[in-house]
Amino acid sequence: MDPIKNPFSPGAGSPPPELVGRDPALEQARILLGRIKNKRPEKSMLLTGLRGVGKTVLLNEIEQLAIREGFRTIFIEAHENIALGPLIFPYLRTLLFDLDRMAGMSHKVKRGLAVLRSFIGTIKMTLGSEVTIGIDIEPERGSADSGDLEIDLPNLFVAIGEAAEERKSAVAILIDEVQYFSQKELGALIVAMHKIQQRQLPILLLGAGLPLLQGLAGEAKSYAERLFSFPDIGALSQEEAAIALKEPAQAVGVHFDSAALEEIFRLTKGYPYFLQEWGYQAWNIAESSPVTLQTIQKATAAVIRRLDQNFFRVRFDRLTPSEKNFLRAMAQLGPSPQRIGDVADILNNKTASLSPVRAKLIKKGMIFSPAYGDMAFTVPLFDEFMVRVMPEWPLIPNIMV
Ligand SMILES: Nc1ncnc2c1ncn2[C@@H]1O[C@H](COP(=O)(O)OP(=O)(O)OP(=O)(O)O)[C@@H](O)[C@H]1O
Ligand SMILES: [Mg+2]
């Protein structure tokens, strides 16, 4: 069928033709936005879920909701190795400039800029000269310039919250990939939101990250649970997965046979990214409507090849040989959560000597701990990929120390 008309959209953050199964999270966000606007306390949201479940897409959707509700928004993406301060600084500067341009003089906005100026002063000191300040205002000495992020970020957020409040405005800070912040940065963010909540200032935080985020937040500050809710963004049910495929196709007059839908669900387990990939390839391979089971079977080989070359491969290529061995051993045990002792047995090794490898894999966002002592893949179907890519077992001998 005509690839130009193909409605499916596999890709990182690509909006799906139909956002299925996310009404509860969207409703929760709508309530949160409404309550913050009305100065009522509400827990901020940190969406958590595996790779490719649709967190970024949902966060973008929530940003649109916030804009419609009259919020000013900031959308940032955390990275491994980029510090929170320099990352967030340019966005906060733009925000304050926007507030400054509104009619009438505002002391709180000017103060916000002065505090931001002093905040970036300390970061500039630690990072060198590559941070451009671009704020033509004297720094407010003694505010947000202690050099301790847990003190400075809350002070900065309060100054910005007061500026927004004076402008009768509200601010939504959206952060993707929150798990990449260091414990110190996450702690500072939590303390900052704590202070904002105590002062009832119009700032809210909406974040997204891998499932380990909830644990990281709890470790950073034990009261994180009381400040944030952690909606679990997961795979779609069979019924929802069918809707995600059927509805966009129907809109252009194409039908899926029920056997085709069942087969896609069996293969994708309802993971949104995979649904888009299978939908996309099946569309291009199908001669005409309806899309049949045979079409899906033909599409599957193409999809797996594509996933193996891209989605899975980029992650695999970032692994060291011992990390590959570790994940291959996990895959040998199957898709469910595994215990490190069982992985150690397979590798003929001791649990203690595997701990550093496990820690690195957690840091890289490849595995997480769904329950104490358990480990699971953050990438759905990664176990099947590991078996495909390292069929000979063990493939990399004498690597595991
Ligand atoms: N509710 C949904 N229904 C159908 N498809 C969806 C849904 N949500 C997301 N998708 C599709 O899933 C894919 C992945 O979405 P997205 O990039 O938002 O995932 P993610 O959770 O942010 O992944 P990562 O952890 O790798 O950043 C996209 O192709 C998107 O179109
Ligand atoms: Mg994402």
Side-chain angles (χ1 to χ4, degrees), residues 258-292:
S258 54
L261 293 171
E262 272 168 36
E263 176 68 353
I264 295 184
F265 186 75
R266 187 182 72 77
L267 294 160
T268 60
K269 304 196 167 68
Y271 282 101
Y273 173 61
F274 299 138
L275 289 172
Q276 297 299 327
E277 280 284 4
W278 256 275
Y280 185 82
Q281 295 297 338
W283 176 284
N284 287 353
I285 284 175
E287 301 278 332
S288 59
S289 176
V291 178
T292 61

Side-chain angles (χ1 to χ4, degrees), residues 158-352:
V158 166
I160 290 172
E162 286 175 351
E165 188 179 41
E166 196 173 72
R167 288 305 201 186
K168 305 216 168 355
S169 196
V171 178
I173 301 176
L174 300 110
I175 309 181
D176 203 0
E177 305 280 0
V178 179
Q179 77 281 346
Y180 284 137
F181 287 136
S182 69
Q183 192 179 35
K184 184 85 191 163
E185 291 168 336
L186 197 54
L189 210 49
I190 295 167
V191 177
M193 290 315 295
H194 194 198
K195 220 160 166 185
I196 287 295
Q197 199 182 58
Q198 287 162 15
R199 304 274 182 97
Q200 297 199 342
L201 290 168
I203 297 187
L204 63 82
L205 180 69
L206 291 151
L210 293 176
L212 72 164
L213 179 56
Q214 185 163 3
L216 292 177
E219 275 164 34
K221 290 286 159 222
S222 57
Y223 57 80
E225 296 279 343
R226 275 169 282 146
L227 275 180
F228 296 96
S229 75
F230 296 87
D232 180 22
I233 309 303
L236 303 183
S237 67
Q238 185 154 5
E239 204 181 321
E240 290 165 339
I243 294 172
L245 293 159
K246 259 189 333 198
E247 303 261 311
Q250 233 155 46
V252 273
V254 171
H255 299 274
F256 274 83
D257 277 354
S258 54
L261 293 171
E262 272 168 36
E263 176 68 353
I264 295 184
F265 186 75
R266 187 182 72 77
L267 294 160
T268 60
K269 304 196 167 68
Y271 282 101
Y273 173 61
F274 299 138
L275 289 172
Q276 297 299 327
E277 280 284 4
W278 256 275
Y280 185 82
Q281 295 297 338
W283 176 284
N284 287 353
I285 284 175
E287 301 278 332
S288 59
S289 176
V291 178
T292 61
L293 176 60
Q294 282 82 346
T295 316
I296 303 307
Q297 285 162 346
K298 262 195 249 161
T300 296
V303 175
I304 303 244
R305 212 175 319 116
R306 238 172 87 108
L307 290 174
D308 284 3
Q309 282 165 2
N310 302 297
F311 184 71
F312 294 129
R313 190 83 214 183
V314 290
R315 301 189 155 88
F316 184 77
D317 286 347
R318 293 176 59 227
L319 302 170
T320 64
S322 45
E323 290 165 356
K324 286 177 183 166
N325 273 352
F326 188 101
L327 294 185
R328 179 61 180 83
M330 259 179 85
Q332 188 74 10
L333 294 162
S336 50
Q338 308 298 342
R339 304 193 78 80
I340 189 164
D342 296 335
V343 176
D345 284 348
I346 289 209
L347 291 167
N348 238 332
N349 210 321
K350 291 201 188 67
T351 301

Side-chain angles (χ1 to χ4, degrees), residues 9 11-14 16 18 20 51-57 177 272-273 276:
S9 62
S14 327
E18 182 90 23
V20 187
R51 289 283 172 210
V53 286
K55 301 178 296 295
T56 301
V57 157
E177 305 280 0
Y273 173 61
Q276 297 299 327

Side-chain angles (χ1 to χ4, degrees), residues 357-397:
V357 186
R358 180 182 57 173
K360 284 205 197 98
L361 285 166
I362 291 177
K363 184 126 200 299
K364 282 188 178 170
M366 291 303 300
I367 57 171
F368 72 107
S369 174
Y372 184 74
D374 279 351
M375 299 167 303
F377 289 102
T378 59
V379 182
L381 309 187
F382 206 76
D383 58 304
E384 292 174 20
F385 165 74
M386 284 307 294
V387 174
R388 280 198 298 276
V389 76
M390 292 171 68
E392 307 276 320
W393 171 253
L395 195 73
I396 310 170

